[in-house]
């Protein structure tokens, strides 16, 4: 299956942002499925199936319990669906008392009122935005001021399109190092240039509040990456240094290769960890790699 993202505005950064979000979500979905069980009135079963076809819902009109398999994001959507107006995430197995079931739309929506007035809904809480509490960003997306302030405390990006407002700070563990050396040997596809060798090292430690399991230990990592020692390669190196300083290069989570939890992993900034072998081996040649990497960094506000 081939999934293609195209922008109506010919904006390659937005296309890349959508593609990388899709790839990241797909990878996490494939390696980190979770199961939650809820006590639910059977009358809502069909409504849930219709509203959330992406969830695997086991149960039926004759059963009291419904088991939902999916990512955490879906579980939050499920609670919003059942408890309209609630923004608190589901963090434990507990019975939900549905108040009403209503259609839900994604993004900013407008509801037609009887008096032909149009009211704008906040994409975060889904409630109608009050004019005196409305905040519209430069990208033209609007939110409740309080909702946006809370979202910006986590990540200063537009929740709708991903436009960056300010400097992003990641959850990369502190105390890591990024060492750079040059070699005369060339990378495949860059025969005229030497090689920039990047050595990353993140030591093991204890997770902080910003990490998935605060107080638990995490396994550190050492990684080696390669860039061509060309003018473009050196420019990309400077951007990668900024990303590392802003703690965006690594994070803590589940390893997609071993399945182990509490591991230092890459954080959606793709590096070439092989000198050769092509894209299937995370190596060179890959003529578009430097351009794609710069697009990835631009999405994070680094350019």
């Amino acid at each position: 299956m081939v999934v293609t993202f195209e922008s109506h505005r010919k904006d390659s950064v937005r296309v890349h942002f959508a593609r990388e979000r899709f790839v990241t979500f797909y990878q996490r979905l494939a390696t980190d499925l979770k199961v939650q069980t809820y006590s639910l009135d059977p009358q809502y079963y069909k409504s849930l199936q219709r509203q959330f076809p992406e969830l695997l819902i086991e149960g039926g009109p004759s059963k009291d319990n419904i088991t939902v398999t999916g990512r955490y994001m879906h579980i939050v959507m499920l609670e919003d669906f059942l408890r309209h107006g609630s923004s608190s995430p589901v963090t434990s197995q507990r019975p939900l008392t549905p108040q009403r079931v209503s259609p839900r739309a994604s993004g900013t929506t407008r509801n037609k009122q009887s008096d032909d007035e149009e009211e704008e809904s906040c994409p975060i809480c889904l409630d109608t935005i009050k004019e005196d509490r409305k905040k519209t960003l430069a990208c033209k997306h609007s939110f409740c001021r309080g909702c946006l302030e809370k979202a910006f405390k986590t990540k200063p990006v537009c929740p709708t399109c991903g436009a960056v407002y300010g400097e992003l700070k990641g959850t990369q563990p502190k105390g890591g190092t990024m060492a750079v050396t040059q070699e005369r040997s060339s990378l495949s596809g860059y025969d005229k240039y030497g090689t920039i060798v990047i050595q990353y090292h993140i030591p093991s430690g204890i997770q902080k509040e910003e990490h998935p399991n605060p107080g638990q230990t995490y396994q550190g990592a050492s990684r080696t990456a390669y860039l061509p020692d060309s003018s473009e390669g050196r420019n990309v190196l400077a951007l990668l240094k900024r990303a590392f300083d802003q703690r965006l290069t690594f994070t803590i989570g589940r390893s997609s290769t071993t399945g182990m939890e509490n591991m230092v992993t890459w954080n959606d900034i793709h590096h070439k960890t092989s000198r050769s072998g092509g894209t299937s081996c995370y190596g060179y040649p890959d003529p578009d790699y430097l351009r794609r990497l710069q697009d990835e960094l631009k999405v994070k506000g680094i350019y």
Side-chain angles (χ1 to χ4, degrees):
M1 179 183 295
V2 177
V3 180
T4 303
F5 293 91
E6 296 180 352
S7 173
H8 295 296
R9 302 179 181 178
K10 297 182 180 180
D11 188 336
S12 62
V13 174
R14 288 177 182 265
V15 172
H16 185 80
F17 175 80
R19 182 174 63 245
E20 292 305 320
R21 282 291 178 89
F22 177 84
V23 170
T24 299
F25 173 75
Y26 180 85
Q27 290 173 337
R28 290 177 178 173
L29 177 66
T31 60
D32 195 19
L33 286 175
K34 296 182 178 179
V35 177
Q36 296 281 356
T37 301
Y38 303 92
S39 297
L40 185 67
D41 191 319
Q43 65 175 311
Y44 293 99
Y45 173 71
K46 290 184 179 179
S47 296
L48 284 172
Q49 278 194 320
R50 182 172 60 255
Q51 190 72 15
F52 298 100
E54 70 272 29
L55 290 177
L56 306 178
I57 304 178
E58 301 173 359
S62 62
K63 298 183 179 181
D64 293 330
N65 290 331
I66 290 181
T67 299
V68 180
T69 303
R71 285 289 304 161
Y72 180 79
M73 184 178 75
H74 288 139
I75 303 303
V76 174
M77 289 170 59
L78 174 62
E79 186 182 32
D80 283 339
F81 176 70
L82 296 174
R83 302 173 67 180
H84 185 74
S86 172
S87 59
S88 59
V90 177
T91 56
S92 62
Q93 296 184 2
R94 65 182 188 272
L96 298 178
T97 305
Q99 296 177 354
R100 63 191 178 102
V101 178
S102 58
R104 167 182 173 167
S106 61
T108 301
T109 61
R110 295 182 180 274
N111 303 316
K112 189 72 173 178
Q113 305 297 315
S114 56
D115 59 356
D116 292 333
E117 271 189 19
E118 290 186 343
E119 295 184 348
E120 192 172 8
S121 298
C122 173
I124 298 175
C125 69
L126 303 183
D127 285 338
T128 300
I129 303 176
K130 297 181 179 179
E131 282 300 320
D132 60 341
R133 300 179 183 177
K134 182 177 179 179
K135 174 64 176 179
T136 301
L137 298 175
C139 56
K140 306 303 182 183
H141 294 118
S142 299
F143 308 87
C144 297
R145 186 178 300 275
C147 292
L148 188 63
E149 288 175 354
K150 290 180 180 178
F152 271 25
K153 287 180 180 179
T154 302
K155 194 174 185 180
V157 302
C158 172
T160 299
C161 69
V164 179
Y165 294 89
E167 184 178 278
L168 290 181
K169 288 291 185 181
T171 58
Q172 175 181 297
K174 297 180 180 180
T177 59
M178 175 184 178
V180 178
T181 58
Q182 283 85 26
E183 296 182 357
R184 292 185 178 181
S185 57
S186 300
L187 299 169
S188 182
Y190 291 92
D191 298 335
K192 297 181 180 180
Y193 306 101
T195 300
I196 298 172
V197 181
I198 306 172
Q199 298 279 355
Y200 292 110
H201 177 67
I202 306 293
S204 301
I206 305 296
Q207 297 184 50
K208 307 298 184 183
E209 289 299 322
E210 61 199 17
H211 297 135
N213 300 298
Q216 294 187 23
T217 60
Y218 64 86
Q219 181 66 46
S222 294
R223 299 286 184 269
T224 302
Y226 303 95
L227 292 171
D229 195 4
S230 60
S231 58
E232 186 178 18
R234 289 188 289 272
N235 289 336
V236 170
L237 174 64
L239 297 178
L240 289 177
K241 286 182 177 179
R242 286 178 54 193
F244 186 82
D245 291 340
Q246 290 176 219
R247 303 171 61 201
L248 296 170
T249 308
F250 296 94
T251 188
I252 296 175
R254 171 179 288 190
S255 170
S256 59
T257 55
T258 66
M260 296 180 63
E261 297 281 3
N262 302 321
M263 304 290 291
V264 171
T265 63
W266 293 113
N267 189 32
D268 301 333
I269 299 177
H270 294 84
H271 287 64
K272 290 296 186 184
T273 54
S274 298
R275 294 173 178 268
S276 59
T279 55
S280 61
C281 296
Y282 308 103
Y284 296 89
D286 187 350
D288 294 329
Y289 168 65
L290 295 180
R291 178 188 59 79
R292 295 198 314 271
L293 180 56
Q294 290 176 83
D295 284 345
E296 290 179 7
L297 293 165
K298 190 171 185 179
V299 165
K300 297 180 182 294
I302 298 176
Y303 51 91

